[in-house]
Amino acid sequence: MADEGPRPPHRSQARDEPRDGAGANRTTELSGTVALVTGASAGIGRHLAQGLAARGAAVAGLARSADRLQTAMDEVAASTGARTLAVPADVTDRTAVESAVARVTAELGPVDLLVNNAGLMDPAEVPVWQADPDEWWRVVESHVRGPLLLVHAVVPGMVERGQGRVIDLGSGLSTRGRDLYSAYSVGKTGLMRLTEVLHAGLAGTGVHAFDLSPGVVETAMSTAMSIHEGRTEWTDPQVVVDLVAAIAAGELDQWSGRFVRAGADELDTLRSVQPEGDARMLRLRRYGDDDPTG
């Protein structure tokens, strides 16, 4: 079905009366926040759009499939009463990203929270030398070029206002290499470094950047991966939502530029810990005290 063109955002209803109970036990209120979530039509992005809206945020969802995205955002609006906006775009297309962000700003307001969630998985489970180079590169681009273009379009406005937060959805595969999923791993490692350099460049601006691994949430992507075959324990998507909401509310700013993992890190612990030095940053391990690269 062809894209029917822009639709107006849904207007909020009473936020203290969620229609389906979503958000009834919310721990972090985000009323007044404008969130932009990429990859919002399915999987983790869909959970995040729902969870942020349930907490009072106005949520713009961005994804390539216009029809599926519109359906998802309509469902979020209907179940939460939040303002939502579906903005179809390919995150690796600079013109499309810039147009999408301009539309979000015009219809919902300046973006307070950017969640870079969209990204592809290796289409074939083969060693890197057997992978199709073009397909491999498309996966890497989705995790590095895509977030870069969103950062380029959104962060200047945040810096101008002196506030805002960027969350890059990382992965445990960003911290280690393995024989399969090489493009995904390389892309997520690049994204982890992008988060760190973004954090460094934002020092003193009031804007913060975070690398958040969602753990292993049960989605169409994760269940198709052979490493998860037979898995019975999955990360509760609500845990991911809670972490994202806490970051959006400014409760974890001391973790800016660092790696946190849903399903392993306890939210209350993250709130209370002040990380120091290069803790939870991507670094080489020294082989000993005399290591010249240490």
Side-chain angles (χ1 to χ4, degrees), residues 101-127:
V101 172
R103 184 179 166 203
V104 172
T105 302
E107 299 193 33
L108 293 183
V111 176
D112 302 297
L113 173 68
L114 167 63
V115 183
N116 283 314
N117 165 72
L120 302 174
M121 174 57 72
D122 300 50
E125 294 189 343
V126 296

Side-chain angles (χ1 to χ4, degrees), residues 111 154-164 198 201-202 204-207:
V111 176
V154 172
V155 168
M158 291 180 172
V159 172
E160 184 178 352
R161 299 190 307 279
Q163 61 181 11
L198 177 59
L202 290 171
T205 65
V207 183

Side-chain angles (χ1 to χ4, degrees), residues 4-21:
E4 297 178 0
R7 302 187 190 186
H10 296 270
R11 300 297 172 181
S12 298
Q13 298 189 1
R15 300 195 191 281
D16 58 348
E17 297 179 357
R19 294 184 185 178
D20 64 352

Side-chain angles (χ1 to χ4, degrees), residues 2 54 102 105 158 165 176 219 233 263 293:
T105 302
M158 291 180 172
R165 291 168 182 85
R176 61 189 182 277
T219 66
E233 295 184 4
T293 68

